Amino acid sequence: QQQVKQSPQSLIVQKGGISIINCAYENTAFDYFPWYQQFPGKGPALLIAIRPDVSEKKEGRFTISFNKSAKQFSLHIMDSQPGDSATYFCAARSSSGTYKYIFGTGTRLKVLA
Amino acid sequence: ETGVTQTPRHLVMGMTNKKSLKCEQHLGHNAMYWYKQSAKKPLELMFVYNFKEQTENNSVPSRFSPECPNSSHLFLHLHTLQPEDSALYLCASSQDSPGSGSPLHFGNGTRLTVT
């Protein structure tokens, strides 16, 4: 019940295309859902985050879609660029817990020029 | 200097060695974390400290020993490690209070190789 399942494991997209990464969770106590972006040799960096009181959040080319009833959330990268090539992690956290984030297994995205 | 700084960036150690990883955060956060990142696995939470007190030990073997002398510094002392402990060790910090979700800020990690 503490898992966050992420798919796909890897993704190849043409420049200008849409990249979509999906995550699903079981624990209904989760109430904060961030996405992290990690480049080789760097630590993960917060990209965008959402709380379950909204169904969508957009920041530039990055959008989180959230489906509370299905317990799923996804990251959409519009107009994907080669510079977006990185590993993306979804995560979930319960604010009533002990500051514990649960991470997905990561998606390695490659955007072809 | 800002953010979360980890040293060293790379470490190679034998199974009988003793070494320490260091993390320093300049964000004024109250919580600090150690994570282990291995290929094709989710980030594994190891330890959590909040205001210098350990609040989480995720069943980590005793060959890993954390130390948090203050809210800005976190150490991970290593001894008699195994080759399967080779991984990227990430430090993170956050500003947390009950009922409040704060994002994690990660350092760039220490790439550990145990020979």
Side-chain angles (χ1 to χ4, degrees):
Chain A
Q1 195 183 29
Q2 283 289 78
Q3 282 187 322
V4 176
K5 295 182 180 179
Q6 184 172 346
S7 63
Q9 191 174 12
S10 62
L11 183 60
I12 299 175
V13 173
Q14 293 288 337
K15 179 182 176 182
I18 302 174
S19 304
I20 302 174
I21 305 170
N22 301 299
C23 284
Y25 64 97
E26 290 293 326
N27 189 345
T28 55
F30 289 147
D31 57 7
Y32 180 69
F33 302 89
W35 284 89
Y36 284 83
Q37 179 188 54
Q38 185 177 25
F39 292 105
K42 300 287 188 182
L46 179 68
L47 186 63
I48 187 172
I50 197 168
R51 295 187 187 275
D53 51 345
V54 296
S55 60
E56 185 175 283
K57 183 173 181 181
K58 185 175 181 179
E59 290 183 3
R61 296 184 293 108
F62 300 92
T63 300
I64 300 179
S65 296
F66 188 84
N67 186 329
K68 189 173 181 178
S69 61
K71 291 184 281 188
Q72 295 175 348
F73 58 110
S74 60
L75 176 69
H76 297 239
I77 306 175
M78 312 301 286
D79 187 26
S80 299
Q81 300 296 312
D84 297 330
S85 298
T87 300
Y88 293 81
F89 296 92
C90 62
R93 194 201 116 143
S94 167
S95 58
S96 62
T98 55
Y99 312 107
K100 188 171 178 176
Y101 286 80
I102 306 299
F103 284 85
T105 49
T107 296
R108 184 172 290 183
L109 171 66
K110 183 168 184 174
V111 181
L112 301 176
Chain B
E1 193 171 349
T2 59
V4 180
T5 304
Q6 288 187 246
T7 55
R9 290 298 313 276
H10 301 272
L11 179 62
V12 179
M13 59 186 289
M15 289 190 285
T16 58
N17 290 159
K18 288 185 181 180
K19 296 285 184 184
S20 296
L21 309 184
K22 180 183 175 182
C23 176
E24 184 174 359
Q25 60 99 358
H26 305 272
L27 299 168
H29 290 164
N30 61 324
M32 296 189 77
Y33 310 71
W34 280 116
Y35 279 88
K36 177 183 178 182
Q37 186 174 33
S38 305
K40 298 185 180 179
K41 285 187 177 181
L43 283 162
E44 297 175 55
L45 178 65
M46 300 176 72
F47 302 103
V48 182
Y49 280 81
N50 190 265
F51 289 113
K52 303 189 300 178
E53 300 299 319
Q54 188 178 114
T55 57
E56 183 93 18
N57 177 336
N58 203 22
S59 303
V60 180
S62 60
R63 57 186 184 268
F64 295 91
S65 175
E67 178 189 358
C68 188
N70 54 60
S71 292
S72 299
H73 293 86
L74 186 64
F75 296 89
L76 189 62
H77 303 298
L78 316 171
H79 64 98
T80 59
L81 294 191
Q82 304 299 311
E84 59 265 28
D85 296 323
S86 298
L88 182 68
Y89 288 85
L90 290 162
C91 174
S93 70
S94 67
Q95 183 61 32
D96 281 312
S97 58
S100 170
S102 167
L104 293 172
H105 294 256
F106 285 91
N108 287 328
T110 294
R111 173 67 63 185
L112 174 67
T113 303
V114 181
T115 60

